[in-house]
Amino acid sequence: MRVLLIGSGGREHALALGLAADPSVEVLFAAPGNPGIGTVAGMRDVVFTDPAAVAALAVECNADLVVVGPETPLVAGAADAVRAKGVPAFGPSAAAARLEGSKAFAKDVMTAAGVPTARAYSCADAESVGRALDDFGAPYVVKNDGLAAGKGVVVTEDRRVAEEHARECGQVVIEEYLAGPEVSLFVVTDGETAVPLLPAQDFKRVGDGDTGPNTGGMGAYAPLPWAPPGLVDEVMRDIVHPTLAELRRRGTPFAGLLYVGLAITAAGPRVIEFNARFGDPETQVVLALLETPLAGLLHAAATGELAAHPPLQWRAGAAVTVVVAAEGYPAKPRTGDVILGAEVSGVIHAGTVRRAADGALLSAGGRVLCCTATGSDLAAARDAAYELVRGIELADSHHRTDIAAAAVDGRITLPG
Ligand code: AMP
Ligand code: GLY
C-alpha cells in the first residue's frame, strides 16, 4: 500500500521506521518530515494544520492510508478531511480529538463514563481558582485547558506559583494530586475494537530525579518490569472500553490511537490525561519492540477491521530512549547548532533540519534527537541507549542521566 505520514518529530521518525519496515508498504511519503524521516520516506511539503491541504496531498500521493502523528492537525480536523476524500486515515475526528484538545471535555467524558480520574474543577477567575486550591491543598495541579504540548501543566507545592499559572492561562482545570508511578498505555482502536500496546513510562521533568519544569518528555522505556500483573486488562476494562462506549454514545466514536496517561495510585489506576495520538518519546520504545507489521495494524484500525486483525507479536527484551535536548529547552531552546554523530541506527530525529548550503545537520527544536536502543533486558537496553548518547556532538545540549535507572535498580514501588 501507499502510505502518507503527517508530522515531523521523533514520534514520526519512529512511525516512519515502523511503516517502512512493513512489507505491505510499497511507498512511504512524509510531510513535512525531517532529515531522519527522509532516509526512509519521500518528503512532501504541507502546512499540517490545514486539513484541506493534508487531504489534497493524500489524493495527490494516491495514498491508501494516511497516518496523522501530532495532535494539532487532528484537533483541526485533518483526519476528517482525508476521510471525506475517501482515503482511510489513522487518527480520530476533530470531535473525538477533543479528548486531548480540551481537558474539561475529557473530564466530562470520564465522569459520564465512570472512569477513575482525579477530582477536578474548571476555573476561569481568581475566586474559583482560590476555592479549588483550598479544596485540594498542596501539591497543587493546575492545567491549561487547551493544547499545550505537555507544557501547560504546573505541579507545585507553592501556592503563588499555582495562582500565577492559573492567571496566565485564563481557563484552567485544577485537580487533585495523584500519587504513584506513571504509566503510558497506547491503545489502537477503530472505535469499537481496542488493542493495547506495551505499557511504557515517560520522564516528563527536565532534570534528573524528576526535578525542574515539565517538558514534552525526556526519555522513556518499555516494558515496565514493576507493573502489577493484570494492569493492562484492568485499564482496558475500567477505562478504555467505557471511554470508547461513551464517545460512541455521543455519536463521535474515537478511532485512532488513544493514549492513556495513568498514575498507579493506592486506590488503583487513575487517568491523568488522554491524548489522541501516539506519545512522544514513548512511541520510540514501544515501536522498537513491535514485531507485527505496523501499516497493516493501523490500516485495520482506519478501516474498522481491527476485530479481524491477528494478535500483536512483541520482541523479547526491552527498549530505552534518551532525549538529547537543545540548550535552553524547555523554556527557550536554542536552534541552529551543528549536530555530529546523528546518522546512526537508533538515533531518531526530532528537531533537526539540513542546511541547504552544505547539507550539515542542524538543531531545529527543543528536543533534537532520541537515542533509542533495545536489549535483552532493561539494563542492557539502557546501556546501549546511553552509548548512542555518547556518540552525539551538539554544543551545550543536555539529557537526563537517569532514564529507566530506578526500574533497572528495582526502586519503583507501588503505593498501598
Ligand atoms: P498532563 O499534560 O496532564 O499529562 O500533565 C503533565 C504531567 O504533570 C503528568 O505527566 C504528571 O507528571 C503531572 N500531573 C498531571 N496531573 C497530575 C495529577 N493530577 N497528579 C499528579 N501529577 C499530575
Ligand atoms: N510523552 C508525553 C506525550 O506525548 O504527551
Short mmCIF file of all heavy atoms in Angstrom, two decimals, residues 11 71 100 149-150 184 186 202-204 215-219 259 273 275 277-283 367, ligand 2:
data_model
loop_
_atom_site.label_atom_id
_atom_site.label_comp_id
_atom_site.label_asym_id
_atom_site.label_seq_id
_atom_site.Cartn_x
_atom_site.Cartn_y
_atom_site.Cartn_z
N ARG A 11 8.49 11.14 17.22
CA ARG A 11 7.42 10.14 17.10
C ARG A 11 7.22 9.76 15.64
O ARG A 11 7.08 8.58 15.30
CB ARG A 11 6.12 10.74 17.67
CG ARG A 11 4.86 10.03 17.23
CD ARG A 11 3.61 10.79 17.68
NE ARG A 11 3.73 12.19 17.39
CZ ARG A 11 3.31 13.17 18.19
NH1 ARG A 11 2.72 12.89 19.32
NH2 ARG A 11 3.47 14.42 17.85
N GLU A 71 -1.00 16.06 17.45
CA GLU A 71 -2.35 16.41 17.88
C GLU A 71 -2.92 17.62 17.15
O GLU A 71 -4.12 17.69 16.92
CB GLU A 71 -2.41 16.63 19.39
CG GLU A 71 -1.54 17.76 19.96
CD GLU A 71 -0.10 17.34 20.25
OE1 GLU A 71 0.37 16.33 19.67
OE2 GLU A 71 0.56 18.04 21.05
N GLU A 100 -8.18 15.12 23.83
CA GLU A 100 -6.88 15.73 24.13
C GLU A 100 -6.96 17.25 24.08
O GLU A 100 -6.31 17.93 24.86
CB GLU A 100 -5.80 15.26 23.12
CG GLU A 100 -4.52 16.05 23.28
CD GLU A 100 -3.29 15.43 22.64
OE1 GLU A 100 -3.42 14.40 21.95
OE2 GLU A 100 -2.19 15.97 22.87
N ALA A 149 1.22 21.07 24.31
CA ALA A 149 2.41 20.23 24.04
C ALA A 149 3.06 19.74 25.33
O ALA A 149 4.28 19.71 25.46
CB ALA A 149 3.42 21.01 23.20
N GLY A 150 2.24 19.34 26.29
CA GLY A 150 2.77 18.74 27.52
C GLY A 150 3.35 19.76 28.49
O GLY A 150 3.87 19.40 29.53
N SER A 184 2.21 5.11 30.63
CA SER A 184 1.58 5.50 29.36
C SER A 184 1.13 4.22 28.66
O SER A 184 1.97 3.37 28.35
CB SER A 184 2.56 6.22 28.44
OG SER A 184 3.09 7.37 29.05
N PHE A 186 -0.78 2.89 25.26
CA PHE A 186 -1.31 3.24 23.94
C PHE A 186 -2.30 2.17 23.52
O PHE A 186 -2.00 0.97 23.64
CB PHE A 186 -0.21 3.29 22.88
CG PHE A 186 0.87 4.30 23.13
CD1 PHE A 186 2.04 4.25 22.39
CD2 PHE A 186 0.72 5.31 24.07
CE1 PHE A 186 3.05 5.18 22.59
CE2 PHE A 186 1.71 6.24 24.28
CZ PHE A 186 2.89 6.17 23.53
N ASP A 202 7.31 7.38 30.71
CA ASP A 202 7.89 8.59 30.17
C ASP A 202 8.51 9.38 31.33
O ASP A 202 8.13 9.16 32.48
CB ASP A 202 6.72 9.37 29.55
CG ASP A 202 7.10 10.70 28.96
OD1 ASP A 202 8.26 10.91 28.64
OD2 ASP A 202 6.19 11.56 28.82
N PHE A 203 9.43 10.26 31.03
CA PHE A 203 10.04 11.13 32.05
C PHE A 203 9.74 12.57 31.67
O PHE A 203 10.34 13.10 30.75
CB PHE A 203 11.55 10.86 32.14
CG PHE A 203 11.87 9.50 32.67
CD1 PHE A 203 11.67 8.37 31.90
CD2 PHE A 203 12.29 9.34 33.98
CE1 PHE A 203 11.91 7.10 32.40
CE2 PHE A 203 12.54 8.08 34.50
CZ PHE A 203 12.35 6.95 33.70
N LYS A 204 8.79 13.19 32.38
CA LYS A 204 8.28 14.49 31.95
C LYS A 204 9.12 15.66 32.42
O LYS A 204 9.20 16.67 31.73
CB LYS A 204 6.86 14.68 32.47
CG LYS A 204 5.84 13.74 31.81
CD LYS A 204 4.91 14.50 30.89
CE LYS A 204 4.08 13.57 30.03
NZ LYS A 204 3.20 12.69 30.77
N THR A 215 8.29 18.94 30.54
CA THR A 215 8.70 19.03 29.13
C THR A 215 7.73 18.17 28.33
O THR A 215 6.80 17.59 28.88
CB THR A 215 10.11 18.44 28.93
OG1 THR A 215 10.04 17.02 29.14
CG2 THR A 215 11.11 19.06 29.90
N GLY A 216 7.99 18.03 27.04
CA GLY A 216 7.23 17.08 26.24
C GLY A 216 7.60 15.64 26.55
O GLY A 216 6.90 14.71 26.16
N GLY A 217 8.70 15.41 27.27
CA GLY A 217 9.18 14.06 27.59
C GLY A 217 10.66 13.96 27.30
O GLY A 217 11.10 14.30 26.21
N MET A 218 11.44 13.50 28.27
CA MET A 218 12.90 13.49 28.16
C MET A 218 13.47 12.09 27.94
O MET A 218 14.69 11.92 27.80
CB MET A 218 13.53 14.09 29.42
CG MET A 218 13.25 15.58 29.61
SD MET A 218 13.94 16.62 28.28
CE MET A 218 15.69 16.45 28.60
N GLY A 219 12.59 11.08 27.92
CA GLY A 219 13.07 9.72 27.73
C GLY A 219 11.94 8.77 28.06
O GLY A 219 10.90 9.18 28.57
N TYR A 259 -4.23 7.43 23.79
CA TYR A 259 -3.09 7.43 24.72
C TYR A 259 -3.68 7.63 26.10
O TYR A 259 -4.30 8.66 26.37
CB TYR A 259 -2.17 8.57 24.31
CG TYR A 259 -1.06 8.99 25.25
CD1 TYR A 259 0.23 9.16 24.77
CD2 TYR A 259 -1.28 9.31 26.60
CE1 TYR A 259 1.26 9.60 25.59
CE2 TYR A 259 -0.25 9.73 27.42
CZ TYR A 259 1.01 9.88 26.91
OH TYR A 259 2.02 10.33 27.71
N GLU A 273 -4.34 11.90 32.04
CA GLU A 273 -4.76 12.59 30.82
C GLU A 273 -4.99 11.56 29.72
O GLU A 273 -4.45 10.46 29.74
CB GLU A 273 -3.68 13.57 30.33
CG GLU A 273 -2.39 12.87 29.92
CD GLU A 273 -1.43 13.73 29.12
OE1 GLU A 273 -1.84 14.76 28.59
OE2 GLU A 273 -0.26 13.32 29.00
N ASN A 275 -4.57 11.42 25.49
CA ASN A 275 -4.12 12.09 24.29
C ASN A 275 -4.73 11.35 23.10
O ASN A 275 -5.12 10.18 23.22
CB ASN A 275 -2.60 12.11 24.18
CG ASN A 275 -1.98 13.06 25.20
OD1 ASN A 275 -2.51 14.14 25.47
ND2 ASN A 275 -0.87 12.65 25.80
N ARG A 277 -3.26 10.69 20.19
CA ARG A 277 -2.20 10.30 19.23
C ARG A 277 -1.12 9.55 20.00
O ARG A 277 -1.14 9.50 21.23
CB ARG A 277 -1.65 11.55 18.55
CG ARG A 277 -1.54 12.78 19.46
CD ARG A 277 -0.36 12.78 20.35
NE ARG A 277 -0.38 13.77 21.41
CZ ARG A 277 0.51 13.78 22.38
NH1 ARG A 277 1.45 12.85 22.46
NH2 ARG A 277 0.47 14.70 23.34
N PHE A 278 -0.18 8.98 19.26
CA PHE A 278 0.95 8.31 19.89
C PHE A 278 1.72 9.30 20.76
O PHE A 278 1.89 10.46 20.40
CB PHE A 278 1.92 7.80 18.82
CG PHE A 278 1.50 6.51 18.15
CD1 PHE A 278 0.81 6.53 16.95
CD2 PHE A 278 1.82 5.28 18.71
CE1 PHE A 278 0.44 5.36 16.31
CE2 PHE A 278 1.46 4.10 18.09
CZ PHE A 278 0.76 4.14 16.88
N GLY A 279 2.23 8.85 21.90
CA GLY A 279 3.05 9.69 22.77
C GLY A 279 4.48 9.78 22.27
O GLY A 279 4.97 8.89 21.59
N ASP A 280 5.10 10.88 22.63
CA ASP A 280 6.46 11.13 22.21
C ASP A 280 7.26 11.49 23.46
O ASP A 280 6.91 12.47 24.11
CB ASP A 280 6.45 12.30 21.22
CG ASP A 280 7.76 12.48 20.49
OD1 ASP A 280 8.76 11.88 20.90
OD2 ASP A 280 7.78 13.24 19.51
N PRO A 281 8.23 10.71 23.89
CA PRO A 281 9.00 9.70 23.17
C PRO A 281 8.64 8.24 23.43
O PRO A 281 9.41 7.36 23.03
CB PRO A 281 10.42 9.96 23.68
CG PRO A 281 10.22 10.30 25.13
CD PRO A 281 8.90 11.04 25.18
N GLU A 282 7.48 7.95 24.05
CA GLU A 282 7.18 6.54 24.33
C GLU A 282 7.06 5.71 23.05
O GLU A 282 7.39 4.51 23.03
CB GLU A 282 5.86 6.40 25.11
CG GLU A 282 5.85 7.08 26.47
CD GLU A 282 5.21 8.44 26.40
OE1 GLU A 282 5.60 9.25 25.52
OE2 GLU A 282 4.32 8.71 27.21
N THR A 283 6.57 6.34 21.97
CA THR A 283 6.42 5.62 20.69
C THR A 283 7.75 5.01 20.24
O THR A 283 7.77 3.90 19.68
CB THR A 283 5.91 6.61 19.61
OG1 THR A 283 4.67 7.12 20.07
CG2 THR A 283 5.73 5.94 18.27
N ARG A 367 13.57 19.40 21.62
CA ARG A 367 14.04 18.01 21.67
C ARG A 367 14.64 17.70 20.31
O ARG A 367 13.95 17.73 19.30
CB ARG A 367 12.86 17.08 22.00
CG ARG A 367 12.33 17.34 23.41
CD ARG A 367 11.27 16.35 23.83
NE ARG A 367 10.04 16.47 23.08
CZ ARG A 367 9.01 15.64 23.22
NH1 ARG A 367 9.07 14.63 24.08
NH2 ARG A 367 7.91 15.82 22.52
N1 GLY B 2 5.20 11.82 26.24
C1 GLY B 2 4.06 12.60 26.56
C2 GLY B 2 3.22 12.93 25.43
O1 GLY B 2 3.44 12.52 24.30
O2 GLY B 2 2.26 13.65 25.64
#
